[in-house]
């Protein structure tokens, strides 16, 4: 599965990181890497969870795709490292001719996160991807242009034999393939650290290295969860999420008043958004949670209203993402850095 997804939504490929390589043609420095290179990196992560059923309210394929594109853009703008798409038991069933909302959203998120120069090789043609050409690009740090010199690049191990010394070759969005420092199966997606001197191979590194060493937002992983509790139980981080934050118009609305609010220090933050009717119906529709009479707010360390005083009766999930993540960003940076 691609980038930690719960289902093989794309062609099978491992998720590793490969460094960008130098070229003899004139090249610009990667604008996204320049300011981050002076920082000490970022060890903490931000995960976002939301129900896939939000796309079922869109009437057409174009509108469904556009909604997912908005989610991907928001996650990229605010440096989200993981997106968890969970199924909500109370959601309306998808139309017979439609893919399940959660699978549809996860597939498009995976596609949009992947650099453009790798998509054709990784993703086979699929009806769900029919309208992706209409979506705005993420323009993320892991989507470098061919004319940019970056410290890291995303790549795909090619079918060719590679170098004579047994190393594999990788497609990294440059005019020529680069040699990597090991032999890997063809079709493996990698992150590479580009060599500092001509003739050296690119080093295959973990996808987290650009974030941890340079502070770069290096895309996001996508995970499917069968229900809300699985968002926690299937967490990929050792020790799980040490801070969870639920969002609702029924949450605490006073946190924005004054200057005393601070998020507790964390290493892995989880922010959960609800669907059209919020998080409460999701909890009420879950058999085990409902049987134990668990209040929605009890599932989270913090339960906040991220847009108090709203003028509309409802805030769509894709709107709540932008409003909420913008409001939380200075707090997450301070708490994560501490």
């Amino acid at each position: 599965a691609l980038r930690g997804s719960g289902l093989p939504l794309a062609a099978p490929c491992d998720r590793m990181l490969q460094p960008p390589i130098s070229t003899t043609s004139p090249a610009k420095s990667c604008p996204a890497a320049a300011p981050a290179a002076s920082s000490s990196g970022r060890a903490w992560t931000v995960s976002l969870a939301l129900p896939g059923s939000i796309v079922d309210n869109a009437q057409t394929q174009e509108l469904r795709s556009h909604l997912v594109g908005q989610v991907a853009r928001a996650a990229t703008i605010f440096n989200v490292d993981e997106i968890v798409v969970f199924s909500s038991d109370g959601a309306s069933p998808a139309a017979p001719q439609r893919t399940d909302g959660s699978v549809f959203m996860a597939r498009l998120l995976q596609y949009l996160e992947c650099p453009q120069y790798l998509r054709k090789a990784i993703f086979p043609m699929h009806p769900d991807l029919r309208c992706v050409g209409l979506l705005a690009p993420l323009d993320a740090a892991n989507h470098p242009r061919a004319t940019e010199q970056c410290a890291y690049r995303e790549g795909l191990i090619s079918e060719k034999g590679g170098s004579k010394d047994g190393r594999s070759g990788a497609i990294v969005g440059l005019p020529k393939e680069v040699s990597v420092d090991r032999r890997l199966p063809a079709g493996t997606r990698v992150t590479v650290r580009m060599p500092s001197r001509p003739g050296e191979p690119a080093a295959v590194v973990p996808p987290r290295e650009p974030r941890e060493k340079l502070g770069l937002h290096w895309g996001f992983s996508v995970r499917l969860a069968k229900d809300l509790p699985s968002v926690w139980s299937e967490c990929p981080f050792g020790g799980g999420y040490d801070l969870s934050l639920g969002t609702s118009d029924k949450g605490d609305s006073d946190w924005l008043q004054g200057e005393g609010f601070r998020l507790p220090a964390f290493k892995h933050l989880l922010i959960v958004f609800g669907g059209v009717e919020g998080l409460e119906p999701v909890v009420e529709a879950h058999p085990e949670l409902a049987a134990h009479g668990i209040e929605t707010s009890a599932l989270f360390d913090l339960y906040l209203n991220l847009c108090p005083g709203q003028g509309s009766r409802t805030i769509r999930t894709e709107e709540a993402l932008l409003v909420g993540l913008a409001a939380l960003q200075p707090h997450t940076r301070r708490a994560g850095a501490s």
Side-chain angles (χ1 to χ4, degrees):
L2 177 62
R3 270 290 228 181
S5 165
L7 290 179
L9 304 177
C13 69
D14 294 334
R15 185 64 183 88
M16 303 171 67
L17 281 181
Q18 178 180 357
I21 53 169
S22 304
T23 62
T24 55
S25 59
K28 301 177 181 179
S29 60
C30 183
S38 60
S39 70
S40 58
R42 175 168 65 90
W44 49 275
T45 65
V46 176
S47 296
L48 170 68
L50 72 168
S53 59
I54 63 174
V55 302
D56 293 332
N57 292 318
Q59 293 86 353
T60 66
Q61 176 92 341
E62 290 82 358
L63 292 175
R64 296 180 94 204
S65 301
H66 180 66
L67 192 156
V68 179
Q70 289 178 293
V71 172
R73 285 283 300 170
T76 302
I77 291 169
F78 294 104
N79 302 295
V80 171
D81 304 291
E82 179 195 29
I83 301 180
V84 188
V85 184
F86 62 87
S87 298
S88 49
D89 296 333
S92 302
Q97 67 275 18
R98 285 184 172 186
T99 303
D100 173 76
S102 295
V103 175
F104 178 87
M105 177 178 286
R107 177 175 284 117
L108 264 66
L109 287 173
Q110 285 186 334
Y111 182 90
L112 292 170
E113 186 277 335
C114 182
Q116 291 90 331
Y117 55 84
L118 298 181
R119 289 173 180 172
K120 186 175 181 181
I122 292 177
F123 291 87
M125 293 184 65
H126 193 281
D128 289 350
L129 303 176
R130 179 169 57 86
C131 299
V132 291
L134 303 174
L135 305 183
L138 301 187
D139 205 18
N142 66 331
H143 292 195
R145 296 168 178 82
T147 55
E148 292 175 339
Q149 287 184 336
C150 301
Y152 297 90
R153 278 183 178 265
E154 287 290 283
L156 190 73
I157 301 301
S158 68
E159 299 285 349
K160 298 179 181 179
S163 60
K164 295 180 180 179
D165 55 6
R167 296 169 178 159
S168 296
I171 303 167
V172 295
L174 295 172
K176 295 182 179 180
E177 292 184 6
V178 299
S179 176
V180 298
D181 59 359
R182 66 194 69 181
R183 171 69 66 178
L184 292 170
T188 302
R189 182 177 169 183
V190 294
T191 300
V192 297
R193 186 191 321 115
M194 296 305 291
S196 57
R197 291 189 292 269
E200 291 184 349
V204 176
V205 299
R208 65 180 182 275
E209 183 173 305
R211 168 177 58 83
E212 293 180 342
K213 288 195 173 182
L214 297 182
L216 293 173
H217 176 249
W218 204 251
F220 47 78
S221 62
V222 181
R223 176 164 65 90
L224 280 170
K226 64 180 181 180
D227 53 20
L228 186 57
S230 297
V231 174
W232 282 272
S233 63
E234 298 172 0
C235 173
F237 303 111
Y241 304 110
D242 51 354
L243 181 63
S244 62
L245 191 157
T247 64
S248 171
D249 59 353
K250 299 175 180 62
D252 178 17
S253 299
D254 298 328
W255 68 282
L256 280 175
Q257 305 300 323
E259 300 180 356
F261 176 80
R262 295 182 71 92
L263 283 177
F266 66 86
K267 187 172 182 181
H268 302 295
L269 169 66
L270 171 67
I271 307 173
V272 184
F273 288 82
V276 178
E277 298 179 351
L279 277 172
E280 292 79 10
V282 177
V283 175
E284 293 169 2
H286 191 277
E288 293 184 14
L289 297 178
H292 289 82
I294 297 177
E295 293 289 335
T296 305
S297 59
L299 296 173
F300 305 95
D301 299 309
L302 296 170
Y303 199 54
L304 303 179
N305 181 356
L306 298 182
C307 188
Q310 64 192 59
S312 174
R313 292 187 184 91
T314 58
I315 298 180
R316 298 173 64 89
T317 305
E318 65 273 22
E319 297 167 342
L321 290 179
L322 289 170
V323 174
L325 293 175
L328 289 171
Q329 187 177 52
H331 303 286
T332 56
R333 285 181 174 176
R334 183 169 55 237
S338 60

